[in-house]
Amino acid sequence: MMTNTQWAFTQEVHPNPTSIDAIAAHLENPGFGRIFTDHMVTARWTEERGWHDAKVEFRKPFQLDPACAVLHYAQEIFEGMKAYRGAGDSVLLFRPTENARRFQRSAERMAMAPVPEALFIKAVEALVSADKRWIPDGDGSLYLRPFMFASETFLGVRPSKEYIFCVIACPVGPYFKNGNSAVTVWVSDEYTRAAPGGTGAAKCGGNYAASLLAQAQAAEHGCDQVVFLDAVEHRWVEELGGMNIFFSMADGTLVTPPLNGNILPGITRASVIDLARNEGITVEERPYSFDQWCADVASGHLREVFACGTAAVIAGVGRIRHVGGELVIGDGTVGPVTERIRDLLTGIQRGRIDDPLSWVHHAG
Ligand code: PLP
Ligand code: COI
């Protein structure tokens, strides 16, 4: 069994690494989640051995028994983070310890074996180092996807006694097809994402499976993302399918729904709160209803709305659609507060401006 101080990774030699020219062609327009790098990192957990067999391997399919537990009861969690190319060919990660800790909390909620923080960070660093050639320049980044699933061959309903932890990576550009333009969101009157006592605060695959139909309805209404309201009163704004949400008011305050156990505690969300407060902006984490949202658009009290997350970064929301019609926020474009927060956050993440809260982690 490996101890915390002893995470040594076996390194497989890739038989046929992608050529520099082919990588350059992929990086021209990577999109999001379509292109994958040459390597992956894996580690295994069993009751007898704990975490063991940590490897940097070349990327290849898993071989799973049809009775593999994850295929039946969805005991699976994941993370999303990015590596950036900094000055002098350095590689920067943004607050990776926060991802490691959230991964542990998700594991606990899903009754899985937690990955030690040091193993998580080393795995991410090992992959970034093996696939450094794949990190885009400019405004792109290397999206990292650590995940873990129940790998025991067993059909009884109980926590698995075996897990596989893996990290894969893909070079990415903007998450939304319109780049940095304002997005339109659909407020679902039919579906909810998470109920009290459920798994809303965990980053488990099942939450996303449950969101897909609502997201498909959003797309049918010409929207980029779905906004979920709370499951009990169907009144309070919670979050989007894959992002948290902020409201910027005429009096200068920022409002965002509180961490009530149903929404994902976004690392971007936490960073926006800290950055805004550091800039002297008042941030209120408080319940905000959809009715109030509509009233504040009508009165002009609400000036800007933005969504935030690792994939989306900071995305201005220009329009909301719902069963009752459409509302335009401000002039429907990305507002100055959203722009300012986006510039600050991305500047820090990419090592282009001062990092006042020491968030950037040098990965090599
Ligand atoms: N909410 C949901 C449902 C998400 O999937 C994400 C993305 O990870 C977020 C919020 C934002 O979290 P973070 O800022 O940590 O990426
Ligand atoms: C992320 O932002 O990392 C997510 O997991 C959200 C998903 C929409 C890609």
Side-chain angles (χ1 to χ4, degrees):
M1 189 185 299
M2 289 171 162
T3 65
N4 253 7
T5 49
Q6 189 209 323
W7 306 114
F9 289 77
T10 316
Q11 179 101 33
E12 224 176 48
V13 177
H14 201 296
N16 185 22
T18 311
S19 72
I20 277 288
D21 288 348
I23 293 179
H26 282 312
L27 297 190
E28 261 170 38
N29 179 22
F32 193 96
R34 291 192 282 113
I35 295 161
F36 296 93
T37 61
D38 287 327
H39 296 90
M40 63 188 199
V41 170
T42 55
R44 287 164 190 269
W45 185 91
T46 58
E47 277 194 333
E48 307 74 51
R49 301 183 61 192
W51 286 106
H52 62 280
D53 205 13
K55 282 192 211 144
V56 178
E57 348 181 15
F58 50 90
R59 198 176 167 276
K60 53 179 145 347
F62 289 114
Q63 221 176 28
L64 301 179
D65 190 279
C68 181
V70 68
L71 301 178
H72 301 271
Y73 312 121
Q75 205 188 4
E76 190 271 353
I77 57 171
F78 69 95
E79 270 302 322
M81 52 207 292
K82 283 176 173 170
Y84 308 91
R85 200 175 280 283
D89 213 29
S90 59
V91 178
L92 311 176
L93 296 170
F94 185 68
R95 310 186 76 182
T97 309
E98 296 301 315
N99 294 92
R101 291 182 182 153
R102 187 170 65 188
F103 201 59
Q104 291 191 330
R105 293 195 302 271
S106 297
E108 189 184 343
R109 177 64 185 83
M110 303 303 285
M112 301 171 91
V115 173
E117 207 174 286
L119 172 57
F120 183 98
I121 304 276
K122 283 216 163 180
V124 166
E125 287 182 340
L127 184 62
V128 163
S129 148
D131 284 332
K132 190 168 173 179
R133 299 181 310 148
W134 290 84
I135 307 176
D137 283 327
D139 288 338
S141 54
L142 188 68
Y143 184 77
L144 301 161
R145 173 52 62 85
F147 64 102
M148 169 164 67
F149 61 92
S151 52
E152 187 183 354
T153 300
F154 178 69
L155 285 188
V157 182
R158 58 146 171 78
S160 174
K161 294 183 176 171
E162 296 173 16
Y163 296 98
I164 294 177
F165 168 55
C166 179
V167 190
I168 54 173
C170 53
V172 297
Y175 185 73
F176 291 112
K177 59 181 184 310
N178 292 340
N180 283 340
S181 310
V183 299
T184 304
V185 295
W186 169 253
V187 180
S188 182
D189 62 320
E190 198 174 349
Y191 299 111
T192 52
R193 177 184 173 275
T199 57
K203 204 160 167 62
C204 58
N207 287 343
Y208 297 80
S211 76
L212 295 177
L213 193 53
Q215 177 63 30
Q217 283 190 341
E220 276 164 28
H221 288 91
C223 297
D224 302 282
Q225 272 279 303
V226 57
V227 176
F228 287 109
L229 303 180
D230 76 289
V232 176
E233 295 180 71
H234 226 74
R235 184 172 164 216
W236 305 102
V237 179
E238 295 211 314
E239 64 176 324
L240 277 54
M243 287 138 230
N244 295 115
I245 190 163
F246 280 82
F247 302 90
S248 173
M249 304 300 181
D251 62 4
T253 56
L254 273 182
V255 173
T256 194
L259 299 181
N260 58 2
N262 296 340
I263 70 173
L264 193 79
I267 294 157
T268 319
R269 175 189 178 281
S271 307
V272 167
I273 292 175
D274 288 351
L275 271 182
R277 287 187 177 146
N278 206 40
E279 291 281 292
I281 297 173
T282 302
V283 184
E284 295 173 2
E285 294 179 74
R286 63 171 165 86
Y288 189 63
S289 70
F290 180 53
D291 287 344
Q292 192 63 49
W293 183 354
C294 295
D296 287 342
V297 173
S299 71
H301 182 54
L302 177 65
R303 291 285 166 85
E304 299 177 39
V305 177
F306 62 86
C308 68
T310 299
V313 195
I314 304 282
V317 176
R319 284 158 202 274
I320 37 178
R321 294 194 183 133
H322 58 107
V323 280
E326 176 178 287
L327 295 167
V328 180
I329 299 155
D331 64 3
T333 64
V334 179
V337 175
T338 304
E339 295 263 23
R340 169 91 184 121
I341 302 247
R342 184 202 282 156
D343 288 348
L344 276 175
L345 183 71
T346 56
I348 294 171
Q349 287 171 331
R350 293 171 182 283
R352 292 176 187 159
I353 60 172
D354 190 36
D355 174 19
L357 298 159
S358 302
W359 284 334
V360 172
H361 175 101
H362 287 258

